């Protein structure tokens, strides 16, 4: 059986398992969002931008919705599964696959100012209507997700968050969430998960802010999880939380199951080079290289004192380590963290060969027992196979976005292009531009152009040009309208800056993993 046939059969087997799951909220599909922007300025609010995220792979998707002159809009939004999406500059909106939500947006009100009013009796509409008052009843007006807690305050703050979680759990178990009579089970499930998610997310954010100190004491910090594993970690509905579910799911991998995400416990993957001249690097390398001979293998084993293991051994030990440390089982969230490993590996062109990617996939899959998670893990790998066979395409772009970008780069045809999307409000953007000044100077006589593009609404031209002139930022300074910026976000699938892309002189996109090395090669 050849490799391609094997992958097809494997995918089919997992699809059969996944199809036995009837929880439609985890299926991909579309949701319709429609409504009207009121108090709309004549030359603004012409495009709405929605960011969704496949929480099983941590892959974002940016989609644009045109707004008519009278303020009306309607669009079918592609979703990897039901979830709370981010409507830029406005707030979170829950969208269920195959559902419709109607919303009125007040352009004069910002986030947290009640700028959205939902109408109708669809599942998504009811969830969005009930959420603000329900959240306020449990948490008041306090924004738990942005609360800054000092080290000294952490014990009391953590105790407060755990108490909030316990109150919600008790109300869910007793079916006494303060909701209207007749509220269906699905609505209760989403709203209950959203209430659980917010204090848990706050604890993850606090851990991140003090990670250097708390990492050493993380077992003690997360000592509340074992008793509440069923609700916080083995609860698929947490993926449907209305607000910041992407941060919650990623935070569990980054700040809880660090044994998987960061190769902790002295398990490292610093170097995959099999050159015997660099054999010393394997003192810190936990994995068997893909290609090795018997002599090299013996040498590696002697350096690692017979502890050189396969990737399958590593992921098994890493998951067991997390379970033992926190007294947990192989729960849903830990398995989602494993799918992130697959996605990050198959999208890393610089450090992993196709065979190494297959090895990671084969190592992780046996540890994923939940059929829904398994489906998304296999789908992630299937997309890599499709891409590697040259059958992938950018389905996110639109004719308007393509025409806009073609117009921007037209004056620089025949040159290699390094394009930096940035903003005056973004400190990392400015730092990167300052660090690039030397490269820009070295390449000034080469057929290379540096394009710095920003949203003129968020980065006023006068202020931006003044800063660039003061700091000697050479290159092409390009300002676009807010609507044009949103089209570019959708075309290149980014929702935050800094974001860089590059094209060679023939107009071919340079893979992001090679951006810096590509510029270095041009200098040579």
């Amino acid at each position: 059986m050849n490799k391609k046939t094997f992958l097809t059969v494997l995918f089919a087997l997992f699809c059969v398992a996944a199809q036995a799951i009837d929880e439609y909220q985890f299926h991909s599909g579309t949701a319709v969002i429609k409504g009207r922007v009121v108090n709309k300025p004549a030359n603004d609010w012409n495009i709405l931008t929605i960011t969704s995220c496949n929480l099983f792979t941590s892959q974002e998707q940016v989609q644009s919705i045109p707004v008519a002159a009278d303020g009306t809009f309607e669009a079918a939004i592609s979703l990897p599964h039901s979830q709370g999406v981010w409507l830029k500059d406005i707030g979170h909106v829950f969208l269920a696959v195959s559902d419709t939500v109607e919303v009125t947006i007040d352009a004069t009100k910002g986030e947290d100012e009640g700028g959205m009013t939902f109408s109708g009796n669809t599942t998504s509409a009811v969830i969005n209507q009930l959420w603000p008052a329900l959240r306020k009843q449990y948490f008041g007006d306090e924004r738990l997700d942005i609360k800054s807690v000092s080290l000294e305050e952490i014990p009391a703050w953590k105790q407060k968050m755990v108490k909030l979680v316990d109150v919600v759990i008790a109300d869910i178990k007793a079916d006494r969430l303060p909701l209207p009579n007749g509220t269906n089970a699905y609505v209760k499930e989403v709203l209950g998960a959203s209430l659980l998610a917010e204090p848990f997310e706050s604890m993850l954010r606090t851990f991140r802010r003090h990670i250097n100190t708390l990492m050493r004491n993380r077992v003690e910090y997360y000592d509340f999880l074992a008793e509440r594993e069923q609700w916080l970690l083995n609860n698929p509905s947490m993926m449907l939380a209305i607000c910041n579910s992407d941060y919650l799911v990623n935070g569990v991998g980054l700040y809880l199951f660090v044994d998987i995400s960061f190769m902790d416990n002295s398990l490292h993957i610093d170097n995959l080079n099999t050159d015997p001249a660099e054999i010393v690097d394997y003192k810190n390398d936990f994995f068997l290289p893909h290609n090795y001979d018997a002599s090299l293998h013996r040498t590696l084993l002697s350096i690692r004192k017979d502890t050189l293991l396969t990737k399958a051994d590593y992921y098994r030990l890493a998951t067991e380590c997390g379970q033992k440390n926190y007294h947990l089982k192989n729960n849903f969230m830990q398995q989602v963290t494993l799918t992130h490993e697959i996605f990050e590996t198959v999208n890393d062109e610089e450090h992993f060969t196709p065979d190494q990617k297959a090895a990671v996939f084969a190592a992780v899959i046996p540890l994923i027992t939940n059929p829904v998670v398994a489906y998304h893990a296999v789908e992630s790998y299937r997309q890599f196979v499709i891409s590697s066979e040259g059958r992938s395409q950018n389905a996110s772009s639109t004719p308007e976005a393509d025409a806009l970008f073609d117009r921007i780069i037209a004056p620089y045809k025949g040159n290699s292009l390094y394009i930096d999307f940035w903003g005056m409000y973004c400190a990392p953007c400015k730092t990167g531009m300052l660090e690039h000044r030397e490269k820009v100077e070295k390449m000034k006589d080469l057929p290379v152009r540096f394009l710095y593009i920003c949203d003129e609404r968020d980065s006023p031209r006068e202020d931006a040009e003044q800063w660039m002139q003061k700091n000697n930022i050479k290159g092409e300074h390009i300002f676009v309208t807010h609507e044009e910026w949103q089209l570019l976000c959708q075309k290149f699938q980014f929702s935050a800056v800094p974001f860089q892309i590059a094209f060679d002189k023939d107009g071919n996109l340079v893979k992001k993993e090679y951006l810096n090395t590509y510029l270095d090669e041009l200098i040579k």
Side-chain angles (χ1 to χ4, degrees):
M1 182 183 294
N2 62 38
K3 181 178 178 182
K4 184 175 181 180
T5 303
F6 170 76
L7 291 172
T8 302
V9 172
L10 181 63
F11 177 70
L13 288 173
F14 275 101
C15 278
V16 170
Q19 287 168 352
I21 301 298
D22 60 3
E23 293 94 339
Y24 79 90
Q25 60 263 39
F26 298 115
H27 295 180
S28 62
T30 59
V32 174
I33 182 169
K34 62 181 181 178
R36 179 186 296 273
V37 177
V38 298
N39 300 318
K40 176 185 177 300
N43 298 316
D44 202 357
W45 288 83
N46 297 319
I47 293 177
L48 301 176
T49 299
I50 280 186
T51 301
S52 59
C53 183
N54 185 333
L55 299 180
F56 293 93
T57 61
S58 194
Q59 184 180 23
E60 284 191 348
Q61 183 177 13
V62 182
Q63 299 171 74
S64 297
I65 305 173
V67 179
D70 64 356
T72 57
F73 59 87
E74 181 172 348
I77 302 300
S78 175
L79 295 173
H81 50 79
S82 301
Q83 61 183 274
V85 301
W86 173 245
L87 194 54
K88 187 177 180 182
D89 299 328
I90 303 168
H92 290 93
V93 177
F94 181 81
L95 293 179
V97 167
S98 301
D99 204 4
T100 298
V101 64
E102 187 167 354
V103 57
T104 300
I105 300 170
D106 189 338
T108 64
K109 296 182 179 180
E111 185 186 354
D112 297 330
E113 294 180 336
M116 290 188 290
T117 303
F118 297 91
S119 56
N121 57 3
T122 64
T123 298
S124 298
V126 171
I127 289 172
N128 288 300
Q129 290 163 6
L130 294 175
W131 171 243
L134 182 67
R135 188 211 168 276
K136 186 171 184 178
Q137 187 159 344
Y138 281 87
F139 308 137
D141 293 322
E142 187 174 20
R143 282 283 302 275
L144 304 184
D145 60 330
I146 61 172
K147 175 73 175 179
S148 181
V149 182
S150 69
L151 274 172
E152 294 74 20
E153 296 172 318
I154 284 177
W157 171 255
K158 177 185 146 185
Q159 186 178 24
K160 177 182 177 181
M161 294 300 101
V162 173
K163 284 183 177 179
L164 286 175
V165 168
D166 287 343
V167 168
V168 174
I169 290 174
D171 285 352
I172 293 174
K173 291 171 70 173
D175 193 20
R176 59 171 182 246
L177 289 177
L179 298 171
N181 292 333
T183 301
N184 69 47
Y186 180 77
V187 173
K188 291 180 181 179
E189 190 174 357
V190 172
L191 292 173
S194 300
L195 289 171
L196 291 171
E198 191 159 338
F200 186 26
E201 181 210 344
S202 177
M203 285 185 273
L204 291 169
R205 287 184 184 270
T206 298
F207 185 91
R208 177 185 62 81
R209 292 187 185 105
H210 301 286
I211 192 167
N212 292 333
T213 301
L214 295 180
M215 182 64 79
R216 297 189 296 271
N217 304 307
R218 64 183 183 276
V219 173
E220 179 183 354
Y221 183 81
Y222 291 118
D223 59 6
F224 62 92
L225 284 173
E227 291 182 32
R228 301 161 183 84
E229 179 178 15
Q230 172 189 352
W231 299 95
L232 299 181
L233 297 174
N234 205 33
N235 181 3
S237 298
M238 296 291 275
M239 306 284 276
L240 309 180
I242 298 169
C243 298
N244 301 326
S245 54
D246 54 343
Y247 188 96
L248 172 70
V249 175
N250 287 326
V252 166
L254 292 173
Y255 311 125
L256 175 62
F257 294 125
V258 293
D259 305 286
I260 296 173
S261 298
F262 287 124
M263 311 288 179
D264 199 59
N265 200 27
S266 300
L267 316 183
H268 300 286
I269 184 170
D270 294 330
N271 195 308
L272 292 175
N273 197 323
T274 58
D275 184 348
E278 299 185 23
I279 196 70
V280 69
D281 290 328
Y282 286 100
K283 289 181 179 179
N284 295 316
D285 192 344
F286 197 73
F287 296 125
L288 282 169
H290 177 70
N291 297 313
Y292 63 94
D293 57 30
S295 175
L296 176 60
H297 188 195
R298 286 194 296 272
T299 305
L300 295 176
L301 286 173
S302 66
I303 289 176
R304 288 291 302 179
K305 298 179 181 179
D306 297 327
T307 60
L308 193 71
L309 304 180
T310 65
K311 290 179 174 63
D313 293 324
Y314 166 73
Y315 283 111
R316 175 179 56 79
L317 288 173
T319 54
E320 290 174 356
C321 182
Q323 293 164 21
K324 180 181 178 181
N325 285 341
Y326 306 121
H327 306 288
L328 301 173
K329 299 175 182 178
N330 184 17
N331 56 64
F332 183 88
M333 284 295 189
Q334 187 176 50
Q335 294 182 39
V336 171
T337 299
L338 288 168
T339 69
H340 290 184
E341 287 293 299
I342 294 175
F343 182 76
E344 290 172 8
T345 300
V346 299
N347 284 279
D348 188 339
E349 299 292 342
E350 185 174 3
H351 298 102
F352 295 93
T353 67
D355 287 330
Q356 290 164 344
K357 295 174 182 181
V360 170
F361 175 74
V364 168
I365 278 296
L367 301 170
I368 299 177
T369 58
N370 184 284
V372 173
V373 183
Y375 169 80
H376 284 276
V378 176
E379 177 65 12
S380 174
Y381 190 75
R382 189 179 79 94
Q383 291 302 321
F384 156 68
V385 174
I386 292 173
S387 176
S388 66
E389 292 177 349
R391 291 188 281 128
S392 63
Q393 58 182 349
N394 182 4
S396 302
S397 192
T398 63
E400 295 84 356
D402 292 339
L404 168 64
F405 187 67
D406 287 344
R407 189 169 70 250
I408 289 173
I409 65 173
Y412 317 108
K413 291 288 186 182
N415 292 281
S416 295
L417 301 179
Y418 182 89
I419 303 174
D420 191 342
F421 295 91
W422 72 290
M424 279 291 289
Y425 52 87
C426 171
C429 297
K430 295 179 178 179
T431 299
M433 293 165 73
L434 294 171
E435 291 174 349
H436 260 108
R437 286 181 299 185
E438 184 177 347
K439 282 186 179 180
V440 175
E441 179 63 24
K442 286 182 178 179
M443 303 175 78
K444 64 182 181 180
D445 297 323
L446 298 177
V448 182
R449 294 293 180 269
F450 288 79
L451 278 60
Y452 297 103
I453 303 178
C454 66
D455 179 348
E456 193 168 10
R457 190 194 73 172
D458 296 333
S459 301
R461 182 186 296 260
E462 183 177 350
D463 295 342
E465 288 183 337
Q466 183 179 359
W467 180 83
M468 287 187 287
Q469 182 178 3
K470 178 181 177 181
N471 291 279
N472 196 31
I473 303 297
K474 304 295 184 181
E476 312 299 329
H477 304 161
I478 298 171
F479 297 85
V480 297
T481 67
H482 185 59
E483 287 74 21
E484 291 172 334
W485 178 264
Q486 291 174 305
L487 289 172
L488 294 171
C489 287
Q490 179 178 2
K491 178 176 176 63
F492 295 111
Q493 288 298 291
F494 70 95
S495 57
V497 291
F499 179 79
Q500 296 90 18
I501 54 174
F503 294 85
D504 65 21
K505 61 183 179 61
D506 297 317
N508 299 310
L509 181 66
V510 178
K511 291 185 176 181
K512 62 181 180 180
E513 292 84 1
Y514 302 134
L515 275 179
N516 288 326
T517 55
Y518 178 70
L519 290 177
D520 292 337
E521 287 298 319
L522 290 175
I523 293 175
K524 294 178 184 178

